Amino acid sequence: MQPNRLENLDDLLAQAEQYADHSMRNIGRLPPTLFLIGSKGPVMFMPESLADESDKDDFATTARLMCIAHAATACVMALEAWAKFAKAGEKVR
């Protein structure tokens, strides 16, 4: 998919999925990334660091501001998420 062909949410989701697949296969991790379609076309934004809670809050705030500044009609945030589920009767640590 060509980045300049991103026109709607489905296109943006497909782009984010392609990016996530490429990142996991080539660098073994998925850097948090915001994809948006703005008034002048697609934009991709990555934070410098997410070392602590403050950095994470700053990324969320910056993502909101990016969407506002670019008059986003669609946005997708791609990032890694891990979960552990307890089996019946097991405590989660």
Side-chain angles (χ1 to χ4, degrees):
M1 178 178 303
Q2 300 290 334
N4 59 355
R5 304 281 258 171
L6 301 176
E7 297 175 355
N8 57 45
L9 182 58
D10 288 337
D11 294 344
L12 205 57
L13 286 167
Q15 179 69 24
E17 181 180 5
Q18 183 180 26
Y19 170 77
D21 183 62
H22 176 80
S23 291
M24 292 301 291
R25 290 180 189 277
N26 290 289
I27 63 173
R29 62 186 182 83
L30 175 59
T33 308
L34 171 70
F35 297 88
L36 68 86
I37 298 173
S39 59
K40 295 181 181 178
V43 175
M44 185 171 131
F45 172 74
M46 296 171 64
E48 274 189 39
S49 167
L50 289 183
D52 57 30
E53 289 299 315
S54 177
D55 287 346
K56 293 174 186 176
D57 290 342
D58 289 347
F59 177 48
T61 299
T62 303
R64 286 186 206 97
L65 293 173
M66 291 287 291
C67 290
I68 293 166
H70 291 274
T73 57
C75 68
V76 173
M77 191 176 292
L79 46 93
E80 286 187 51
W82 296 90
K84 179 174 179 164
F85 299 94
K87 296 177 184 165
E90 178 184 34
K91 290 184 181 180
V92 177
R93 297 179 203 190

